Amino acid sequence: MGKRAARLIVAVLVTHASWAAAAPSNVELARVISALETDHDSATRAVYALQQGGDAAARALLDAWPSLSPLAQRRAIGALRPLAERHSAAVEALVLGARSDDDSVREASLAALQRTPPRGREGLAMLVDDPDVGDRAAALLARSEPRYAIPVLLDAMNRDGGSERPALRNALAVAVERTDRPEAALAAWLEETPSPDAVASAAFGLRGLDVSDSIMTSYVRYGLEDAESFTATWRLIRSAGAAGSDARIDAWVESQLSVDEPWMLRAAAVEAAAERGSRDAVRANLEDSYPRVRMRAAARSIHG
């Protein structure tokens, strides 16, 4: 179809009172979508027409997405964003756009999802595990839908590789800080029996935030029971300083003061024990075999 024909069909369709009232045919939709590849004025009319096309337009754009040029995809996002408020197919198309190799298409799609509550958050949640845009999606979700984001981010930490993604911890911190009384969501996650590595990562991300002592206590206690890796153990030790009063945690932290290797666990335990008020236990490390541990023990013995 030539440019003139494309302009004509769009102009005719836009004159209809509402596409939603008279559902467009597949042929009509295909012609209008093809106009996204033409001149600016015709593409603008096509975007307006597609915005009125309801679920049929959303599905047609989703089906056509892989065959569209980056220019046409950028234009299509102008129709998909309002369509995504009501139609899942539009959200799916924006998710495809967020995975684009084209920077402008990717950023425009992510921005559209962020600006389209509540369905847009579902699209961002679908992207959290993506190796290329997952970190960006997590950050956007935490800022725009913090309460919704908390369980999404925690679950992502519990999947393969999730506990080693700093961006998930950072996003969790943002979501928790922006949520009024986030403790219920944080506590509910432990009932799903996440891995010790995931819990240690989450606890490490929650340090220093305004969450109740009971949450930090429950996270550290849960993790220390089965933590085996160095990373999980170190994170739990560093998080223990923010936990509430708990004899089991106190005993565990103090036991880490005398582990043989690696020395970083002893150094972390010195800090945590001092933060928990066990300055007498810390003094034993004044004669530690590793200089950095001795230095930390000396500083904590003097200044607490």
Side-chain angles (χ1 to χ4, degrees), residues 194-218:
S195 71
D197 285 356
V199 174
S201 184
F204 193 63
L206 294 172
R207 291 179 314 133
L209 301 184
D210 187 20
V211 296
S212 67
D213 289 350
S214 63
I215 289 295
M216 292 302 297
T217 302
S218 61

PDB file of all heavy atoms in Angstrom, residues 194-218:
ATOM      1  N   PRO A 194      11.890 -19.195  52.054  1.00  0.00           N
ATOM      2  CA  PRO A 194      12.936 -18.860  51.073  1.00  0.00           C
ATOM      3  C   PRO A 194      14.277 -19.445  51.486  1.00  0.00           C
ATOM      4  O   PRO A 194      14.447 -19.901  52.630  1.00  0.00           O
ATOM      5  CB  PRO A 194      12.968 -17.330  51.114  1.00  0.00           C
ATOM      6  CG  PRO A 194      12.481 -16.984  52.490  1.00  0.00           C
ATOM      7  CD  PRO A 194      11.454 -18.022  52.821  1.00  0.00           C
ATOM      8  N   SER A 195      15.241 -19.423  50.587  1.00  0.00           N
ATOM      9  CA  SER A 195      16.565 -19.971  50.883  1.00  0.00           C
ATOM     10  C   SER A 195      17.320 -19.066  51.852  1.00  0.00           C
ATOM     11  O   SER A 195      17.076 -17.853  51.894  1.00  0.00           O
ATOM     12  CB  SER A 195      17.380 -20.104  49.589  1.00  0.00           C
ATOM     13  OG  SER A 195      17.756 -18.813  49.110  1.00  0.00           O
ATOM     14  N   PRO A 196      18.244 -19.626  52.641  1.00  0.00           N
ATOM     15  CA  PRO A 196      19.061 -18.792  53.535  1.00  0.00           C
ATOM     16  C   PRO A 196      19.829 -17.711  52.794  1.00  0.00           C
ATOM     17  O   PRO A 196      19.990 -16.596  53.300  1.00  0.00           O
ATOM     18  CB  PRO A 196      20.000 -19.799  54.203  1.00  0.00           C
ATOM     19  CG  PRO A 196      19.298 -21.102  54.115  1.00  0.00           C
ATOM     20  CD  PRO A 196      18.538 -21.065  52.822  1.00  0.00           C
ATOM     21  N   ASP A 197      20.303 -18.023  51.583  1.00  0.00           N
ATOM     22  CA  ASP A 197      21.024 -17.020  50.803  1.00  0.00           C
ATOM     23  C   ASP A 197      20.131 -15.835  50.477  1.00  0.00           C
ATOM     24  O   ASP A 197      20.570 -14.676  50.543  1.00  0.00           O
ATOM     25  CB  ASP A 197      21.555 -17.634  49.505  1.00  0.00           C
ATOM     26  CG  ASP A 197      22.770 -18.517  49.731  1.00  0.00           C
ATOM     27  OD1 ASP A 197      23.247 -18.599  50.877  1.00  0.00           O
ATOM     28  OD2 ASP A 197      23.239 -19.126  48.754  1.00  0.00           O
ATOM     29  N   ALA A 198      18.881 -16.112  50.102  1.00  0.00           N
ATOM     30  CA  ALA A 198      17.952 -15.032  49.770  1.00  0.00           C
ATOM     31  C   ALA A 198      17.626 -14.198  51.001  1.00  0.00           C
ATOM     32  O   ALA A 198      17.572 -12.962  50.937  1.00  0.00           O
ATOM     33  CB  ALA A 198      16.677 -15.611  49.163  1.00  0.00           C
ATOM     34  N   VAL A 199      17.408 -14.858  52.119  1.00  0.00           N
ATOM     35  CA  VAL A 199      17.083 -14.133  53.353  1.00  0.00           C
ATOM     36  C   VAL A 199      18.269 -13.285  53.804  1.00  0.00           C
ATOM     37  O   VAL A 199      18.097 -12.140  54.236  1.00  0.00           O
ATOM     38  CB  VAL A 199      16.659 -15.117  54.459  1.00  0.00           C
ATOM     39  CG1 VAL A 199      16.452 -14.384  55.784  1.00  0.00           C
ATOM     40  CG2 VAL A 199      15.375 -15.846  54.053  1.00  0.00           C
ATOM     41  N   ALA A 200      19.473 -13.830  53.689  1.00  0.00           N
ATOM     42  CA  ALA A 200      20.658 -13.064  54.064  1.00  0.00           C
ATOM     43  C   ALA A 200      20.810 -11.833  53.185  1.00  0.00           C
ATOM     44  O   ALA A 200      21.161 -10.747  53.659  1.00  0.00           O
ATOM     45  CB  ALA A 200      21.896 -13.947  53.964  1.00  0.00           C
ATOM     46  N   SER A 201      20.548 -11.983  51.885  1.00  0.00           N
ATOM     47  CA  SER A 201      20.638 -10.857  50.970  1.00  0.00           C
ATOM     48  C   SER A 201      19.602  -9.795  51.308  1.00  0.00           C
ATOM     49  O   SER A 201      19.907  -8.588  51.328  1.00  0.00           O
ATOM     50  CB  SER A 201      20.449 -11.339  49.526  1.00  0.00           C
ATOM     51  OG  SER A 201      20.617 -10.287  48.608  1.00  0.00           O
ATOM     52  N   ALA A 202      18.380 -10.232  51.591  1.00  0.00           N
ATOM     53  CA  ALA A 202      17.326  -9.280  51.950  1.00  0.00           C
ATOM     54  C   ALA A 202      17.655  -8.567  53.252  1.00  0.00           C
ATOM     55  O   ALA A 202      17.496  -7.344  53.362  1.00  0.00           O
ATOM     56  CB  ALA A 202      15.988 -10.007  52.059  1.00  0.00           C
ATOM     57  N   ALA A 203      18.112  -9.316  54.247  1.00  0.00           N
ATOM     58  CA  ALA A 203      18.460  -8.703  55.536  1.00  0.00           C
ATOM     59  C   ALA A 203      19.556  -7.665  55.358  1.00  0.00           C
ATOM     60  O   ALA A 203      19.510  -6.576  55.945  1.00  0.00           O
ATOM     61  CB  ALA A 203      18.899  -9.782  56.521  1.00  0.00           C
ATOM     62  N   PHE A 204      20.530  -7.988  54.526  1.00  0.00           N
ATOM     63  CA  PHE A 204      21.626  -7.056  54.279  1.00  0.00           C
ATOM     64  C   PHE A 204      21.110  -5.773  53.622  1.00  0.00           C
ATOM     65  O   PHE A 204      21.592  -4.672  53.916  1.00  0.00           O
ATOM     66  CB  PHE A 204      22.667  -7.732  53.385  1.00  0.00           C
ATOM     67  CG  PHE A 204      23.976  -6.999  53.305  1.00  0.00           C
ATOM     68  CD1 PHE A 204      24.763  -6.821  54.432  1.00  0.00           C
ATOM     69  CD2 PHE A 204      24.425  -6.494  52.098  1.00  0.00           C
ATOM     70  CE1 PHE A 204      25.976  -6.143  54.358  1.00  0.00           C
ATOM     71  CE2 PHE A 204      25.628  -5.820  52.007  1.00  0.00           C
ATOM     72  CZ  PHE A 204      26.412  -5.638  53.147  1.00  0.00           C
ATOM     73  N   GLY A 205      20.113  -5.908  52.754  1.00  0.00           N
ATOM     74  CA  GLY A 205      19.531  -4.736  52.112  1.00  0.00           C
ATOM     75  C   GLY A 205      18.674  -3.906  53.048  1.00  0.00           C
ATOM     76  O   GLY A 205      18.489  -2.706  52.816  1.00  0.00           O
ATOM     77  N   LEU A 206      18.157  -4.524  54.108  1.00  0.00           N
ATOM     78  CA  LEU A 206      17.283  -3.819  55.047  1.00  0.00           C
ATOM     79  C   LEU A 206      18.044  -3.115  56.165  1.00  0.00           C
ATOM     80  O   LEU A 206      17.443  -2.335  56.915  1.00  0.00           O
ATOM     81  CB  LEU A 206      16.290  -4.814  55.669  1.00  0.00           C
ATOM     82  CG  LEU A 206      15.273  -5.446  54.720  1.00  0.00           C
ATOM     83  CD1 LEU A 206      14.490  -6.541  55.439  1.00  0.00           C
ATOM     84  CD2 LEU A 206      14.332  -4.397  54.151  1.00  0.00           C
ATOM     85  N   ARG A 207      19.330  -3.390  56.294  1.00  0.00           N
ATOM     86  CA  ARG A 207      20.112  -2.748  57.358  1.00  0.00           C
ATOM     87  C   ARG A 207      20.003  -1.226  57.269  1.00  0.00           C
ATOM     88  O   ARG A 207      20.085  -0.650  56.208  1.00  0.00           O
ATOM     89  CB  ARG A 207      21.600  -3.108  57.244  1.00  0.00           C
ATOM     90  CG  ARG A 207      21.952  -4.535  57.537  1.00  0.00           C
ATOM     91  CD  ARG A 207      23.447  -4.746  57.357  1.00  0.00           C
ATOM     92  NE  ARG A 207      23.896  -4.134  56.100  1.00  0.00           N
ATOM     93  CZ  ARG A 207      24.975  -3.362  55.985  1.00  0.00           C
ATOM     94  NH1 ARG A 207      25.716  -3.082  57.029  1.00  0.00           N
ATOM     95  NH2 ARG A 207      25.311  -2.871  54.807  1.00  0.00           N
ATOM     96  N   GLY A 208      19.846  -0.614  58.412  1.00  0.00           N
ATOM     97  CA  GLY A 208      19.828   0.844  58.452  1.00  0.00           C
ATOM     98  C   GLY A 208      18.509   1.478  58.074  1.00  0.00           C
ATOM     99  O   GLY A 208      18.371   2.710  58.118  1.00  0.00           O
ATOM    100  N   LEU A 209      17.518   0.670  57.671  1.00  0.00           N
ATOM    101  CA  LEU A 209      16.215   1.218  57.314  1.00  0.00           C
ATOM    102  C   LEU A 209      15.307   1.281  58.542  1.00  0.00           C
ATOM    103  O   LEU A 209      15.569   0.643  59.566  1.00  0.00           O
ATOM    104  CB  LEU A 209      15.562   0.365  56.225  1.00  0.00           C
ATOM    105  CG  LEU A 209      16.332   0.212  54.919  1.00  0.00           C
ATOM    106  CD1 LEU A 209      15.501  -0.584  53.927  1.00  0.00           C
ATOM    107  CD2 LEU A 209      16.699   1.568  54.322  1.00  0.00           C
ATOM    108  N   ASP A 210      14.241   2.019  58.417  1.00  0.00           N
ATOM    109  CA  ASP A 210      13.310   2.185  59.525  1.00  0.00           C
ATOM    110  C   ASP A 210      12.285   1.054  59.526  1.00  0.00           C
ATOM    111  O   ASP A 210      11.107   1.241  59.251  1.00  0.00           O
ATOM    112  CB  ASP A 210      12.603   3.539  59.406  1.00  0.00           C
ATOM    113  CG  ASP A 210      11.742   3.838  60.631  1.00  0.00           C
ATOM    114  OD1 ASP A 210      11.980   3.216  61.681  1.00  0.00           O
ATOM    115  OD2 ASP A 210      10.843   4.697  60.518  1.00  0.00           O
ATOM    116  N   VAL A 211      12.791  -0.150  59.820  1.00  0.00           N
ATOM    117  CA  VAL A 211      11.900  -1.307  59.979  1.00  0.00           C
ATOM    118  C   VAL A 211      12.034  -1.794  61.413  1.00  0.00           C
ATOM    119  O   VAL A 211      13.034  -1.536  62.082  1.00  0.00           O
ATOM    120  CB  VAL A 211      12.236  -2.447  58.990  1.00  0.00           C
ATOM    121  CG1 VAL A 211      12.002  -1.996  57.559  1.00  0.00           C
ATOM    122  CG2 VAL A 211      13.660  -2.928  59.175  1.00  0.00           C
ATOM    123  N   SER A 212      11.047  -2.502  61.878  1.00  0.00           N
ATOM    124  CA  SER A 212      11.040  -2.919  63.279  1.00  0.00           C
ATOM    125  C   SER A 212      12.174  -3.902  63.579  1.00  0.00           C
ATOM    126  O   SER A 212      12.606  -4.670  62.710  1.00  0.00           O
ATOM    127  CB  SER A 212       9.700  -3.581  63.618  1.00  0.00           C
ATOM    128  OG  SER A 212       9.549  -4.800  62.930  1.00  0.00           O
ATOM    129  N   ASP A 213      12.650  -3.857  64.828  1.00  0.00           N
ATOM    130  CA  ASP A 213      13.684  -4.791  65.258  1.00  0.00           C
ATOM    131  C   ASP A 213      13.238  -6.235  65.072  1.00  0.00           C
ATOM    132  O   ASP A 213      14.050  -7.118  64.785  1.00  0.00           O
ATOM    133  CB  ASP A 213      14.027  -4.564  66.742  1.00  0.00           C
ATOM    134  CG  ASP A 213      14.779  -3.266  66.980  1.00  0.00           C
ATOM    135  OD1 ASP A 213      15.192  -2.645  65.988  1.00  0.00           O
ATOM    136  OD2 ASP A 213      14.930  -2.882  68.153  1.00  0.00           O
ATOM    137  N   SER A 214      11.944  -6.471  65.229  1.00  0.00           N
ATOM    138  CA  SER A 214      11.451  -7.850  65.146  1.00  0.00           C
ATOM    139  C   SER A 214      11.646  -8.425  63.751  1.00  0.00           C
ATOM    140  O   SER A 214      11.908  -9.634  63.602  1.00  0.00           O
ATOM    141  CB  SER A 214       9.976  -7.911  65.538  1.00  0.00           C
ATOM    142  OG  SER A 214       9.180  -7.154  64.633  1.00  0.00           O
ATOM    143  N   ILE A 215      11.531  -7.587  62.711  1.00  0.00           N
ATOM    144  CA  ILE A 215      11.751  -8.071  61.351  1.00  0.00           C
ATOM    145  C   ILE A 215      13.207  -8.472  61.173  1.00  0.00           C
ATOM    146  O   ILE A 215      13.509  -9.572  60.664  1.00  0.00           O
ATOM    147  CB  ILE A 215      11.353  -6.995  60.314  1.00  0.00           C
ATOM    148  CG1 ILE A 215       9.842  -6.844  60.279  1.00  0.00           C
ATOM    149  CG2 ILE A 215      11.880  -7.361  58.925  1.00  0.00           C
ATOM    150  CD1 ILE A 215       9.091  -8.066  59.779  1.00  0.00           C
ATOM    151  N   MET A 216      14.119  -7.612  61.565  1.00  0.00           N
ATOM    152  CA  MET A 216      15.543  -7.940  61.427  1.00  0.00           C
ATOM    153  C   MET A 216      15.892  -9.170  62.251  1.00  0.00           C
ATOM    154  O   MET A 216      16.665 -10.027  61.812  1.00  0.00           O
ATOM    155  CB  MET A 216      16.401  -6.752  61.835  1.00  0.00           C
ATOM    156  CG  MET A 216      16.301  -5.556  60.903  1.00  0.00           C
ATOM    157  SD  MET A 216      16.747  -5.958  59.186  1.00  0.00           S
ATOM    158  CE  MET A 216      18.472  -6.426  59.364  1.00  0.00           C
ATOM    159  N   THR A 217      15.310  -9.276  63.428  1.00  0.00           N
ATOM    160  CA  THR A 217      15.569 -10.438  64.276  1.00  0.00           C
ATOM    161  C   THR A 217      15.093 -11.717  63.605  1.00  0.00           C
ATOM    162  O   THR A 217      15.807 -12.729  63.564  1.00  0.00           O
ATOM    163  CB  THR A 217      14.860 -10.277  65.633  1.00  0.00           C
ATOM    164  OG1 THR A 217      15.313  -9.076  66.264  1.00  0.00           O
ATOM    165  CG2 THR A 217      15.160 -11.460  66.554  1.00  0.00           C
ATOM    166  N   SER A 218      13.887 -11.676  63.053  1.00  0.00           N
ATOM    167  CA  SER A 218      13.342 -12.879  62.419  1.00  0.00           C
ATOM    168  C   SER A 218      14.131 -13.255  61.175  1.00  0.00           C
ATOM    169  O   SER A 218      14.362 -14.451  60.912  1.00  0.00           O
ATOM    170  CB  SER A 218      11.867 -12.671  62.069  1.00  0.00           C
ATOM    171  OG  SER A 218      11.700 -11.605  61.152  1.00  0.00           O
TER     172      SER A 218
END
